[in-house]
Structures are given as C-alpha cells and as structure tokens.
Amino acid sequence: MSDIKAVIRHLPKCELHIHIEGSLEPELMFALARRNGITLPYDSVDALRRAYQFSQLQDFLDIYYQGMSVLITEQDFFDLAWAYLQRAQADNVKHVEMFFDPQGHTSRGVAFETVVAGLYRACRQAKESFGIDATMIMCFLRHLDEADAERTLDQALAHRDKIVGVGLDSSERGHPPSKFKNVFRRAGEAGFHLFAHAGEEGPADYVWEAIDVLGVERVDHGVRSLEDPVLVRRLARDRIPLTVCPLSNLKLGVVSKLADHPLQRMLDSDLVVTVNSDDPAYFGGYVGENYTAIQSALNLSEAEVRAVARNGFNAALMDDDERAKALAVFDTPPKKA
Ligand code: ADE
Ligand code: ZN
C-alpha cells in the first residue's frame, strides 16, 4: 500500500453526506425482500448491480426509490443503518450526519416513527460499540410539493431529540430551493439545523437560493458554484462548507472523469470542501474509497488530504469542546512505526 493510502486509512473522518437508503447493498436488499415477502424486479444480486448504470441523477433516483421498497419494519431500518455504521467504523469515521428520506417511506404506508426508531437505535449502538457520534438529518423530497414537506415537518416535531436537522434532496432540476422557503423557515424556528443539496446538477443560482433564501449552514454538493466567481467568494468568506461526493459526481455524469473533478479548484479557491460518499451502495465506494479515488485522480498532496479531513470536523455539528478534541488529533504527528 502506498504511504498516502495508509494516511487516508488512518485519518479520522467525518461523513456529512450519506443518504442511509443509498447504503442499501444489493445483498441486504435481497435479504430484506425475502424477509418481507417482496419480489424485486431483478433475478439476482448481479443482475441488480448490472442495472446501476446512470447517465444523470434521475436515472439513479428511479432505482433508489424502487430499492427502498424493501424497508418495512423498525428492524429493517436498524439493519440498514447498522450495516452502514459498521462499514464507517472500518473507514475510521468518527462522526456521521446521516440523511434519511421519510417521504420515501411514509408514501408507502410505513410510519414515520418506525423509520426514526430503527435508525436511531443503530445510531445509539454505534456510540456504545464504536464511539462513533451518529446523528440524523431528515430530507424533504424536492420533486414533491411544499405542502407534503410541511406535513413531514409536523411529524418530525415530536422527534426533535433524535433529528438534528432538515435537508433537501431528490430531483434538482426544475425544483429550486425557494420552492421550500416556508417549510425551511418553520424548521429553523423549531430549532432544526438547515441543509440543502444545490449545485449538483442545478445551476449556481440554486446555491445562492440555498444560502440566502433557505439560510442553510452547509451546501450539499455545490460543485457548480465554481461557475459563479461572486458566489465562490461568498462561500469562502462566510466559511460555508460544501459536502462533495466525488464518486457520485462521476457515476451521475456531473464530471466525465475524476481527473476533471473541480475539487482541486475548490480547495485553491479557499472553499471549505469535505469528502463524502452520498449513496455508496450505488456509486461504488464508501467514504475512504472516495478519498482514495479523488486523491489519486487529482494527485492531491498529503497536506491537501489532511486539510479536507480537518474541514469535515470544522463543518460538522459538534460543540466547541468536541471539535477542539477532534482537531487536536490532526496536530499530533503520527507515531513512527
Ligand atoms: N438522494 C439520494 N442521493 C441523492 C443525490 N445525489 N442528489 C439528490 N438527491 C439524492
Ligand atoms: Zn446527496
């Protein structure tokens, strides 16, 4: 193993952009389908994996919503999140902020409480077993209307102790952040942290709306921000983090090859760039693999890789003491073998 791969393996990491339903590996999908008496439209794990060919976000979303149909019981949601958290532990992830899509489940008749209970139990177990801080962020599906998001927020109010924030995901084009202005205002007033996907497939204007209309504290993806130099200066000045997901960008055709990925230019523009996995079961890699792939494609230096991992802790929802403790590890030179 080259030195830089070992550095990446051992770096403490945050994962701030993971859709827990996007960590549903085909093997678990088939096992849950069997357990719940559901027939999938694929004969085998291999046939399902072969279907993971996407040329744009919507191609992926169609398969992603179909995949989550096997999640029915509290135990299913626990098993999903627990499988991910075990994998995160292997990547030396210390802190996770996990997105979930309640409307993808309530629309199928699964109770909001069932989803939250299963995911939350896995988060608590990750703290006990691995010392990983795992928290939950509920996303609104932007292809649905704001009234649906409002009803989902109403359901979340009883779970303020378990859900730390709200986000915005799903089909970006044609669904600007401003469509959700009222529900985000109400979520902020209720004490939720605010996040939104913007500038993945959508234009830089959507990033402006996410920060100025919705008032988000982090932007998910945001890679198209580079098309607007005034926006780049604003994101850099206000230290607004971007949760970048290189393998996702490659698999969804946001970039045609990783060597063209804008992450180096983002770092050079003084943006608070973090590296994350998005939907690792569909895009071919968990967070460690995202670090390794982008480092190798852009020939990032060790200092740049370490800066990206530090950015994760600066961008995370942590109190000042926790953050200081986590960042102190980066200032301690690694022990010589
Ligand atoms: N939901 C799951 N993954 C997503 C992505 N990459 N963009 C938008 N919505 C998503
Ligand atoms: Zn995402």
Side-chain angles (χ1 to χ4, degrees):
M1 192 191 294
S2 71
D3 277 358
I4 191 75
K5 285 211 172 92
V7 168
I8 290 172
R9 263 171 64 85
H10 291 115
L11 268 180
K13 300 173 194 72
C14 286
E15 170 107 281
L16 305 178
H17 187 157
I18 161 78
H19 301 264
I20 199 64
E21 297 90 342
S23 73
L24 178 56
E25 290 287 348
E27 290 79 4
L28 182 58
M29 195 189 294
F30 270 87
L32 296 182
R34 219 171 302 123
R35 188 155 96 188
N36 290 320
I38 291 168
T39 307
L40 290 168
Y42 301 94
D43 288 347
S44 64
V45 161
D46 285 347
L48 177 56
R49 277 222 169 80
R50 277 197 297 277
Y52 292 178
Q53 309 282 344
F54 316 116
S55 55
Q56 53 175 331
L57 176 58
Q58 194 60 48
D59 297 343
F60 155 70
L61 290 171
D62 293 343
I63 273 200
Y64 166 80
Y65 294 122
Q66 180 186 72
M68 62 173 81
S69 68
V70 301
L71 297 162
I72 310 282
T73 65
E74 191 265 3
Q75 186 66 41
D76 298 341
F77 287 93
F78 172 86
D79 290 346
L80 170 72
W82 184 239
Y84 164 73
L85 288 161
Q86 287 175 286
R87 187 64 187 72
Q89 151 83 349
D91 274 344
N92 207 21
V93 171
K94 304 293 186 195
H95 177 99
V96 175
E97 294 173 24
M98 168 191 300
F99 292 139
F100 69 107
D101 284 333
Q103 290 154 295
H105 311 300
T106 53
S107 62
R108 303 180 286 111
V110 177
F112 189 95
E113 282 65 33
T114 302
V115 180
V116 169
L119 299 180
Y120 189 66
R121 183 156 66 88
C123 290
R124 277 201 326 258
Q125 190 159 314
K127 181 70 182 173
E128 280 163 29
S129 302
F130 306 139
I132 295 178
D133 284 312
T135 58
M136 292 155 49
I137 297 172
M138 155 185 111
C139 289
F140 301 123
L141 298 182
R142 70 201 305 159
H143 66 274
L144 301 178
D145 61 22
E146 191 180 38
D148 209 308
E150 293 276 15
R151 286 190 290 276
T152 305
L153 176 60
D154 289 340
Q155 292 178 293
L157 293 175
H159 301 280
R160 267 293 290 118
D161 56 328
K162 305 182 202 74
I163 301 172
V164 297
V166 306
L168 184 65
D169 66 2
S170 194
S171 323
E172 187 179 10
R173 285 201 203 109
H175 302 285
S178 52
K179 179 178 162 187
F180 296 91
K181 183 177 170 188
N182 298 307
V183 72
F184 266 72
R185 189 191 341 97
R186 200 157 65 86
E189 286 165 2
F192 290 102
H193 291 273
L194 307 177
F195 311 96
H197 284 53
E200 178 186 17
E201 277 191 345
D205 277 359
Y206 284 16
V207 178
W208 279 114
E209 284 193 10
I211 59 179
D212 282 342
V213 180
L214 302 187
V216 302
E217 58 193 85
R218 257 182 354 230
V219 173
D220 296 309
H221 293 293
V223 287
R224 289 193 57 193
S225 303
L226 285 181
E227 294 169 20
D228 180 344
V230 179
L231 174 61
V232 170
R233 284 198 291 278
R234 167 74 185 284
L235 293 168
R237 186 198 73 188
D238 290 355
R239 314 308 295 148
I240 299 173
L242 303 170
T243 61
V244 175
C245 307
L247 290 174
S248 164
N249 295 152
L250 178 65
K251 290 287 159 40
L252 299 184
V254 171
V255 293
S256 49
K257 53 185 192 305
L258 267 192
D260 294 341
H261 196 282
L263 185 136
Q264 176 79 65
R265 282 182 289 136
M266 297 170 90
L267 285 174
D268 294 345
S269 305
D270 200 25
L271 293 176
V272 184
V273 176
T274 68
V275 162
N276 310 272
S277 69
D278 208 5
D279 301 282
Y282 292 90
F283 300 149
Y286 285 76
V287 67
E289 286 148 338
N290 273 271
Y291 269 81
T292 307
I294 197 67
Q295 184 283 323
S296 147
L298 302 182
N299 198 21
L300 298 177
S301 67
E302 179 175 334
E304 286 168 328
V305 170
R306 292 173 76 85
V308 167
R310 280 186 74 101
N311 284 347
F313 289 94
N314 278 315
L317 302 176
M318 283 182 180
D319 66 35
D320 291 346
D321 277 1
E322 275 178 289
R323 196 182 322 279
K325 235 189 264 166
L327 288 171
V329 174
F330 287 87
D331 300 327
T332 316
K335 285 199 193 79
K336 291 269 181 298

